[in-house]
Amino acid sequence: MSTPLPGRPVRGSRSGRPVMAILDLLGRRWTLRVLWELRADPVPTFRTLQHRCDGVSSSVLAERLSELREAALVERTEDGYRLTDQGRTLLDTLAPLETWARTWHPTPP
C-alpha cells in the first residue's frame, strides 16, 4: 500500500483531495501514536520510539516511519527521528482535540 499523499487516490477519495489523504494517513494503525511520541524531546532512536509506543512491532513501526517521512512529517537525523516543521504544525492543529478529550465524559446509553 502506498503512502497517502495529496493528489494520489486514497481510501475514500479517487481524487486524492488533501484532507482525504491526511485522514487516510492518520487513520493507519499506530500513525497517530508515533506522531504523538515524537512531540517530546529528546529525539528518540528507533528502539526508544518502539518502547514509547508500547512495543509496536518493528516492521509496523518501520513502515509508519517510512510513510511519515515520505509525507514530510517526520525526518531521520543522526540521533533518531523527529517531527518536521509540517509535522509540528499538524500536531498543533490536533492540540484542540487533546484539550477536548481531557473533558470528554461519555454517558452510558
Side-chain angles (χ1 to χ4, degrees), residues 78-90:
E78 291 180 4
D79 299 326
Y81 294 89
R82 70 175 175 203
L83 295 171
T84 62
D85 289 341
Q86 284 190 108
R88 291 210 174 278
T89 301
L90 174 60

Side-chain angles (χ1 to χ4, degrees), residues 9-44:
V10 297
R11 286 185 295 169
S13 174
R14 285 189 221 125
S15 68
R17 292 181 302 186
V19 70
M20 297 305 292
I22 195 63
L23 289 175
D24 187 357
L25 181 61
L26 295 178
R28 292 182 176 201
R29 189 176 46 156
W30 292 102
T31 299
L32 282 169
R33 179 65 185 268
V34 169
L35 289 169
W36 188 251
E37 295 302 333
L38 289 174
R39 80 192 188 291
D41 288 323
V43 174

